[in-house]
C-alpha cells in the first residue's frame, strides 16, 4: 500500500481534540501514566478522560500497561511520538501565562525527552558532536564508526547488541524547538537511558524536562566532545 492509499482522517480526528492532544503530549515523556494523571493534564473529568483514552486505544495511538489492579497508558510506539513532535513543529506555541510556565518552557527548551531519547538544546548539541567527531556517520540513517563504538563502550553501551533489535538502529528527529536534528532509534533510546543511569541527566519537576548535572556536563565533554 502506498502512502497515497492511507486514510489519515481517523488519526487526524483523534489528534484534533485538545484534551486528547494534551494527553498524547504528556505521554511523550516515555513513561506510562495513570488515567487520573492524564485527566489532570488535559483538564477534564475522570469520565471524560476515560472516553478519550478509549478512543485513543481503539485508534492504536496508546497501549495499556497493567500492574496489579492498576492500568497505565503509554504511546503505542516511537512512530506516534514522531507524529506528535512533527505537529508541534508546525503548530503555534502556547502562550506562557505565568512565570512558572515561562520557566517550564525554558527547561523543555534546554533538555527534554522526546519519547525515549534526548531532545532540546542538549539533544541537538550531542547529535552534532557525534557527527562532527566522527562517532556516527550517515544521512538520515546512521551507523556507528569504530571510533564511536569505542566511545559508546566507555559509557557501557553494547552497540552490536543494540543492532540485533527489531527497532530502527539510529535515525534522527527534527527537533521541535531547535529545528535541527537530534538522535533517535534504538541507539538514541539506549544512550539517554544510560546517561540517566550515570547521573548525567536527572528527571526534572517539569514533565519531560531533563536537568543536566555537573557530572553530565563533564562526561559529555570528555567522552563525546559535547560542550554544553
Amino acid at each position: 500500500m502506498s502512502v497515497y492509499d492511507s486514510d489519515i482522517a481517523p488519526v487526524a480526528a483523534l489528534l484534533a481534540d485538545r484534551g486528547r492532544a494534551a494527553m498524547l503530549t504528556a505521554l511523550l515523556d516515555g513513561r506510562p501514566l495513570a488515567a487520573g494523571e492524564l485527566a489532570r493534564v488535559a483538564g477534564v473529568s475522570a469520565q471524560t478522560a476515560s472516553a478519550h483514552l478509549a478512543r485513543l486505544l481503539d485508534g492504536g495511538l496508546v497501549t495499556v500497561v497493567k500492574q496489579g489492579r492498576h492500568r497505565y497508558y503509554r504511546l503505542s510506539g516511537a512512530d506516534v511520538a514522531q507524529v506528535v513532535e512533527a505537529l508541534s513543529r508546525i503548530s503555534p506555541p502556547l502562550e506562557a501565562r505565568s512565570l512558572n510556565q515561562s520557566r517550564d518552557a525554558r527547561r523543555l527548551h534546554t533538555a527534554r525527552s522526546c519519547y525515549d531519547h534526548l531532545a532540546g538544546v542538549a539533544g541537538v548539541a550531542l547529535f552534532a558532536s557525534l557527527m562532527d567527531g566522527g562517532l556516527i556517520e550517515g544521512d538520515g540513517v546512521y551507523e556507528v564508526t569504530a571510533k564511536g563504538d569505542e566511545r559508546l563502550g566507555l559509557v557501557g553501551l553494547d552497540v552490536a547488541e543494540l543492532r540485533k533489535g527489531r527497532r530502527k538502529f539510529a535515525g534522527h528527529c527534527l527537533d521541535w524547538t531547535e529545528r535541527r536534528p537530534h538522535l533517535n532509534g534504538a541507539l538514541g533510546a539506549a544512550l539517554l537511558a544510560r546517561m540517566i543511569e550515570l547521573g548525567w541527566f536527572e528527571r526534572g519537576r517539569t514533565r519531560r524536562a531533563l536537568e543536566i548535572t555537573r557530572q553530565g556536563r563533564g562526561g559529555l565533554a570528555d567522552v563525546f566532545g559535547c560542550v554544553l
Side-chain angles (χ1 to χ4, degrees):
M1 182 178 70
S2 74
V3 67
Y4 301 106
D5 298 322
S6 299
D7 183 7
I8 66 173
V11 174
L14 288 174
L15 294 167
D17 180 88
R18 288 187 182 277
R20 291 193 293 273
M23 290 178 175
L24 292 171
T25 300
L27 291 173
L28 282 175
D29 182 72
R31 293 174 291 181
L33 296 174
E37 295 175 283
L38 291 168
R40 287 192 291 274
V41 166
V44 298
S45 67
Q47 183 177 6
T48 299
S50 294
H52 283 324
L53 289 167
R55 292 194 61 181
L56 292 172
L57 278 168
D58 289 343
L61 299 187
V62 301
T63 59
V64 173
V65 179
K66 296 182 180 179
Q67 294 183 1
R69 297 188 302 171
H70 301 288
R71 290 161 58 92
Y72 299 89
Y73 297 84
R74 69 188 313 162
L75 296 183
S76 59
D79 287 348
V80 178
Q82 289 174 12
V83 169
V84 178
E85 279 278 322
L87 287 173
S88 298
R89 292 195 298 271
I90 62 174
S91 302
L94 290 172
E95 181 182 352
R97 300 181 181 276
S98 69
L99 180 59
N100 282 339
Q101 288 179 338
S102 295
R103 288 172 176 166
D104 288 347
R106 285 197 297 272
R107 293 185 185 108
L108 290 172
H109 176 261
T110 301
R112 66 181 183 278
S113 56
C114 174
Y115 187 49
D116 57 4
H117 49 274
L118 181 64
V121 171
V124 166
L126 178 57
F127 179 83
S129 295
L130 294 173
M131 289 291 291
D132 295 344
L135 307 186
I136 61 173
E137 59 186 11
D139 184 11
V141 177
Y142 303 93
E143 283 297 333
V144 175
T145 65
K147 180 181 178 181
D149 191 67
E150 181 267 330
R151 293 294 178 86
L152 290 165
L154 291 177
V155 297
L157 289 190
D158 186 338
V159 173
E161 191 65 28
L162 288 174
R163 286 197 181 96
K164 295 178 182 178
R166 294 183 178 182
R167 184 175 178 180
K168 177 178 69 175
F169 175 65
H172 74 250
C173 297
L174 184 62
D175 196 88
W176 157 49
T177 55
E178 297 304 291
R179 303 300 196 269
R180 293 168 58 200
H182 64 244
L183 185 67
N184 67 16
L187 179 61
L191 184 53
L192 176 58
R194 184 58 182 150
M195 291 190 295
I196 291 175
E197 288 176 359
L198 291 170
W200 291 12
F201 288 90
E202 296 177 346
R203 299 281 184 183
R205 288 175 294 178
T206 302
R207 193 178 303 280
R208 295 181 62 199
L210 296 167
E211 296 181 0
I212 310 165
T213 66
R214 179 182 298 179
Q215 183 180 0
R217 291 181 186 276
L220 286 168
D222 293 342
V223 178
F224 301 119
C226 178
V227 179
L228 294 174

